[in-house]
Amino acid sequence: MSACVPARADSARTKHVHPPHSPPPGGPRRFRVAGADVSASIAVFLIALPLSLGIALATGAPLQAGLVAAAVGGIVVGWLGGCPLQVSGPAAGLTVVTADLIQQYGWRTTCAITVFAGLAQLGLGCLRVARSALAVSPAIVHGMLAGIGVTIAVAQLHIVLGGTPQSSVPDNLVALPAQLANLRPADVAVSVLTLTLLFLWPRVPGRAGRLLGRLPAALVAVAGATAVAALAGLRLPKVDLPSWSSHALATLPDGPVLGLVAAVLTTTLVCSVQSLLGAVAVDKLVAARPGLSGRVKRSDLDRELLGQGAANIVSGSLGGLPIAGVAVRSSANVAAGAVSRNSTMVHGVLVVIAALLLVPALELIPLAALAALVMSVGIQMVSLNHIRTVTRHREVLVYAVTTCGVVFFGVLEGVALGIAVAVGVALHRLTRTRITHAETGGVHHVHVRGQLTFLAVPRLSRVLHQVPQGSDAVVELDGSFMDHAAYETLQDWQKTHTTQGGSVEITGRRPGTRLSEPADAEDCRCRPWTAWRNHQCERPQPMPPAGTDRPDDDSGERTDAAADRPGDGPGDTRGRDTRGRGTDGPGANTPVSAGGTGTGGPGMPSGPSGRELARGISAFQRNTAPLVRRELARLAREGQQPSQLFLTCADSRVVTSMITSSGPGDLFVVRNVGNLVPLPGAESGDDSVAAAIEYAVDVLKVRSITVCGHSGCGAMQALLSAEPGGAQTPLKRWLRHGLPSLERVPEDESAWPRLAGRRPADAAEQLCLANVVQQLEHLRAHDAVSRALAAGELELHGMYFHVGEAQAYLLSEDAGDGVFELVLETDLTA
């Protein structure tokens, strides 16, 4: 039966029975593991094995505890968790917490604390509060991880040098000079070799590097150091795995109740936050892999919390370390091609097999090699990228306080200090409002920078009353929030000032906001995106009939036309005032000349659209120009050096800088009707487009050219509906350059180009896609382009922008003619 035939309405109630005299249907389907999951599980296993032993060594726990946690994290979380491709196990972020617990309460009580932390995670998962955990400031999370990384690195440095770490970072720093004076050369040599292999292995060049890069650097570094130590006969402390029969299990906790509760809360906090943030990061990695996002569901964070809690209960009961999502293993799992949670579970099974069968081989590993491995992990936890990010968002103080608090006081104390500082910074930003008053050219400017709350109302009122009665005033709001108290204060002053003969223009607010909303607010024509920063919500007003006096003439008397206008009720001064002043919009009164034409000042355009243009330019000079002036001055000195020629349609909905996130000097833009590239030649060519192409390629040396089409293109619709003959208007003569695109469209719909796996919606969209492909061929016919392509100095790209979806598609280079792939939303700063 064809797949296009609809199913019957009662098909859901149909019972499928096997025909008589035939064997009954088979039982449940057997468990199968995809080949991609098997290869990914092996890659993750090779990373997890040395790291699990190293983290157990860093915490002071029995080394078997790391293997138990790795196995349980893989099997239990892989089976029950809500993030299919996240790999859980003993994490470096838990090293400091676990080490403190072992030192204070002993190993068996630490196992019990892990069990209780798992129960707490189960409770949080049942309450479905996982999303709220992501409300913690990223500066606090990154600062906590950085503090843990510093603590790990300083402690492991003592083992690298052949000594024993102390209980805290200050003690380790104090003991470091003595350790340097008594270092052990064999331990140092093995550690240096381990770090060297870790650093150089991913950087092997050429084809050999691509082949060797399939082996994890951590495994190669530990294995290489172990082999060299064994061949050289070095006498070093090595891994000691006692018999599993003597493995210590959890016992009832023994200690002060408040201390145990704090320990459980700390373990729960660190495990949960690290696992949930890891799940979100894995979702981004999955979205960046073509073809995988449809097969792997997005993470269910509450289920992930339940899976992590169950794993911690099992791990603690079996004498394992606390468990959390591990970023290194998860990213390796996705990069290795995993397609389901089976890869995580198989990796856990492999850890169990290694723990049972590979004990003799594991006991050859020098402790110095594991210490060097964990020290490198600790150093990597202090991410320069995170520091740049928090600095850019002005949260470096929160980051620094959290980091120092974790280093010198502990994880829970450091996080508490970070939260306190973050709250203080937020309150400071909320209450810090600068309000200034200045007079320029007879116009009084009141500039409000910051958030307008009730705390700023006294200062706002004081400054507003410094504006003389009857004067022209401009209030510039440079902030994103205004509470009700500030709103009423500004609104009352505006009404009073305009009633007394003055004019008020309020700028800088979000598009579509008013200080006073009329009854017909549903007629607002504003949109979330507007080209002008200072755009105000205005409504079309009908022109008065011929012979009718202007509603705001010099007499100040209202006419019937004025009475019918919205917003001109008694006492409303938005449309007019007693001195015959018109408005540009709500709360923005502009003087009018004697003839009744509104002007914004000397030399300003007089019509409504002209005033809108003038306001937009004014907003640029006030808000944007100070931010870009230094960069534009540099470009003026050095000249433009764009990296790309961007050829697109003149359609006003295609904003090139917005959809490419580009700025001054990035793109050399050519726009015309239909994003057409005429073929070179005296008869059919177009000198303006050809000149731009030649200048971009030969003079500016752009490295790529992009032809961008878009949905709903009027030029393509005109090509489809054009009839032969008729007067040859300039538009018709120009559109003849699009006829090759029209001929390119196949009649068979099955041969139409694909748009991210689907067919075009209609013939117009099909022509838009075919036009992009055709214009790329026209580009190759230009001499400058063909020379640059032959020399390998230029790339050509096709792009399609769906206006209604706000979604961009790129023409695939290796999927055949006319296949446009979805451009995914990824985090490129992580």
Side-chain angles (χ1 to χ4, degrees):
M1 180 182 294
S2 171
C4 298
V5 177
R8 291 179 56 186
D10 59 347
S11 61
R13 299 190 299 270
T14 302
K15 295 183 179 180
H16 300 280
V17 296
H18 62 279
H21 310 296
S22 64
R29 296 178 60 185
R30 293 182 298 174
F31 175 74
R32 293 183 178 179
V33 180
D37 284 332
V38 174
S39 60
S41 66
I42 295 174
V44 176
F45 161 72
L46 295 177
I47 296 174
L49 192 62
L51 279 177
S52 300
L53 293 172
I55 291 171
L57 172 67
T59 60
L63 296 185
Q64 295 102 318
L67 300 177
V68 170
V72 172
I75 297 173
V76 177
V77 181
W79 181 33
L80 300 176
C83 183
L85 299 189
Q86 176 163 249
V87 182
S88 300
L94 293 165
T95 302
V96 176
V97 176
T98 310
D100 289 343
L101 295 179
I102 293 174
Q103 184 178 7
Q104 187 172 359
Y105 299 106
W107 170 241
R108 301 185 68 179
T109 301
T110 300
C111 293
I113 292 174
T114 302
V115 173
F116 282 108
L119 292 172
Q121 287 180 300
L122 287 180
L124 294 176
C126 292
L127 294 175
R128 307 184 68 82
V129 297
R131 284 285 173 188
S132 61
L134 300 180
V136 179
S137 169
I140 297 174
V141 176
H142 297 321
M144 177 190 73
L145 296 177
I148 292 173
V150 171
T151 305
I152 292 173
V154 173
Q156 297 309 297
L157 180 59
H158 283 269
I159 301 179
V160 166
L161 298 176
T164 304
Q166 304 299 315
S167 59
S168 64
V169 174
D171 293 340
N172 281 319
L173 293 175
V174 170
L176 192 57
Q179 187 64 60
L180 290 172
N182 299 296
L183 56 84
R184 298 175 60 179
D187 293 83
V188 175
V190 169
S191 301
V192 170
L193 176 61
T194 305
L195 294 173
T196 302
L197 289 174
L198 277 173
F199 180 77
L200 295 180
W201 189 259
R203 293 168 174 80
V204 177
R207 184 178 180 182
R210 290 193 295 270
L211 293 175
L212 296 175
R214 297 178 181 178
L215 290 176
L219 176 70
V220 173
V222 174
T226 302
V228 170
L231 293 174
L234 299 178
R235 300 176 60 87
L236 296 167
K238 298 179 180 179
V239 170
D240 181 19
L241 294 174
S243 171
W244 286 102
S245 60
S246 60
H247 180 60
L249 302 179
T251 187
L252 291 176
D254 183 17
V257 175
L258 292 179
L260 292 172
V261 170
V264 171
L265 291 178
T266 304
T267 306
T268 304
L269 170 68
V270 179
C271 289
S272 302
V273 171
Q274 183 167 345
S275 299
L276 295 176
L277 292 177
V280 174
V282 169
D283 282 343
K284 295 179 181 179
L285 294 175
V286 170
R289 269 189 54 188
L292 186 61
S293 57
R295 300 179 60 181
V296 179
K297 296 181 179 180
R298 290 184 63 86
S299 298
D300 182 341
L301 296 185
D302 293 303
R303 179 179 172 181
E304 179 66 17
L305 205 54
L306 292 172
Q308 295 288 341
N312 274 314
I313 293 174
V314 176
S315 179
S317 302
L318 297 179
L321 291 171
I323 289 173
V326 186
V328 175
R329 302 175 208 180
S330 301
S331 58
N333 192 36
V334 176
V339 295
S340 72
R341 63 180 68 245
N342 293 335
S343 64
T344 303
M345 299 170 64
V346 173
H347 133 266
V349 173
L350 293 177
V351 173
V352 172
I353 295 174
L356 296 176
L357 302 180
L358 299 180
V359 172
L362 297 177
E363 289 185 336
L364 296 176
I365 301 175
L367 295 183
L370 294 179
L373 175 63
V374 176
M375 185 177 74
S376 70
V377 173
I379 294 173
Q380 293 171 7
M381 292 174 70
V382 186
S383 171
L384 294 178
N385 183 46
H386 291 159
I387 294 176
R388 285 193 292 266
T389 301
V390 298
T391 302
R392 187 165 60 247
H393 291 88
R394 297 184 300 167
E395 292 185 330
V396 68
L397 178 62
V398 179
Y399 179 91
V401 169
T402 306
T403 301
C404 294
V406 171
V407 168
F408 293 104
F409 302 108
V411 174
L412 190 61
E413 293 83 355
V415 171
L417 284 174
I419 293 175
V421 173
V423 172
V425 169
L427 291 176
H428 175 70
R429 290 175 180 173
L430 188 63
T431 57
R432 184 186 179 188
T433 306
R434 294 182 57 188
I435 306 175
T436 59
H437 169 241
E439 181 183 358
T440 305
V443 178
H444 292 263
H445 293 266
V446 177
H447 189 190
V448 181
R449 180 174 299 172
Q451 318 309 319
L452 264 180
T453 66
F454 66 95
L455 298 174
V457 165
R459 281 178 291 157
L460 176 65
S461 179
R462 184 166 56 251
V463 172
L464 290 176
H465 282 81
Q466 294 176 4
V467 178
Q469 295 182 4
S471 61
D472 297 333
V474 176
V475 180
E476 304 171 23
L477 302 179
D478 186 4
S480 60
F481 176 76
M482 179 194 303
D483 71 0
H484 190 69
Y487 171 89
E488 285 194 345
T489 300
L490 194 55
Q491 183 190 44
D492 293 344
W493 174 82
Q494 178 191 14
K495 289 182 177 180
T496 302
H497 189 75
T498 53
T499 301
Q500 294 173 347
S503 67
V504 178
E505 180 181 359
I506 298 178
T507 66
R509 301 193 306 277
R510 282 188 309 180
T513 59
R514 292 175 174 269
L515 282 182
S516 53
E517 293 289 347
D520 55 348
E522 62 271 10
D523 295 332
C524 176
R525 298 182 294 120
C526 290
R527 295 295 181 267
W529 170 265
T530 177
W532 283 305
R533 167 79 162 75
N534 191 36
H535 174 72
Q536 300 295 321
C537 176
E538 296 180 291
R539 291 165 177 77
Q541 297 179 358
M543 294 295 294
T548 305
D549 292 336
R550 293 181 58 85
D552 48 357
D553 58 6
D554 289 338
S555 67
E557 296 180 359
R558 301 177 67 234
T559 63
D560 292 339
D564 293 336
R565 250 180 5 194
D568 273 343
D572 196 315
T573 60
R574 287 195 308 273
R576 56 183 292 279
D577 63 22
T578 55
R579 296 195 310 165
R581 295 182 181 269
T583 66
D584 288 335
N589 298 326
T590 305
V592 297
S593 63
T597 305
T599 62
M604 288 291 186
S606 60
S609 60
R611 290 197 299 271
E612 185 177 68
L613 174 64
R615 286 201 307 271
I617 297 172
S618 175
F620 166 79
Q621 295 298 146
R622 179 175 61 253
N623 300 320
T624 308
L627 302 177
V628 300
R629 186 170 286 120
R630 179 178 299 179
E631 176 66 13
L632 290 177
R634 183 188 67 80
L635 291 172
R637 291 192 308 269
E638 301 175 1
Q640 62 169 329
Q641 296 177 342
S643 61
Q644 185 172 149
L645 167 61
F646 197 88
L647 196 150
T648 188
C649 185
D651 194 293
S652 61
R653 298 166 297 179
V654 180
V655 185
T656 57
S657 59
M658 180 177 69
I659 64 178
T660 60
S661 298
S662 56
D666 292 336
L667 301 180
F668 188 71
V669 181
V670 175
R671 306 188 70 149
N672 59 51
V673 176
N675 49 274
L676 300 177
V677 181
L679 286 167
E683 189 171 332
S684 62
D686 179 88
D687 287 341
S688 65
V689 178
I693 294 172
E694 180 182 350
Y695 185 77
V697 175
D698 290 344
V699 180
L700 298 178
K701 305 294 183 183
V702 297
R703 296 188 294 274
S704 66
I705 301 178
T706 299
V707 176
C708 176
H710 67 94
S711 63
C713 181
M716 299 300 103
Q717 294 171 354
L719 276 174
L720 287 173
S721 59
E723 297 180 358
Q728 288 296 310
T729 64
L731 179 59
K732 285 187 176 181
R733 288 195 297 271
W734 169 253
L735 288 180
R736 76 183 187 276
H737 300 300
L739 293 177
S741 302
L742 191 61
E743 297 171 357
R744 188 185 189 93
V745 178
E747 295 182 0
D748 183 8
E749 293 188 6
S750 62
W752 282 9
R754 298 280 176 163
L755 195 62
R758 68 168 175 86
R759 294 181 182 178
D762 50 28
E765 186 170 63
Q766 160 61 16
L767 181 57
C768 292
L769 299 177
N771 182 57
V772 172
V773 180
Q774 184 65 38
Q775 302 313 312
L776 288 174
E777 291 191 3
H778 288 184
L779 268 175
R780 295 184 179 93
H782 286 258
D783 291 339
V785 175
S786 61
R787 288 195 305 269
L789 288 173
E793 299 172 350
L794 185 67
E795 297 178 355
L796 300 184
H797 303 290
M799 177 177 168
Y800 179 76
F801 182 70
H802 196 293
V803 177
E805 298 175 357
Q807 177 64 59
Y809 300 83
L810 285 177
L811 181 63
S812 176
E813 298 179 357
D814 54 0
D817 184 19
V819 178
F820 289 79
E821 298 290 349
L822 185 71
V823 178
L824 298 171
E825 180 182 342
T826 57
D827 184 6
L828 300 181
T829 65

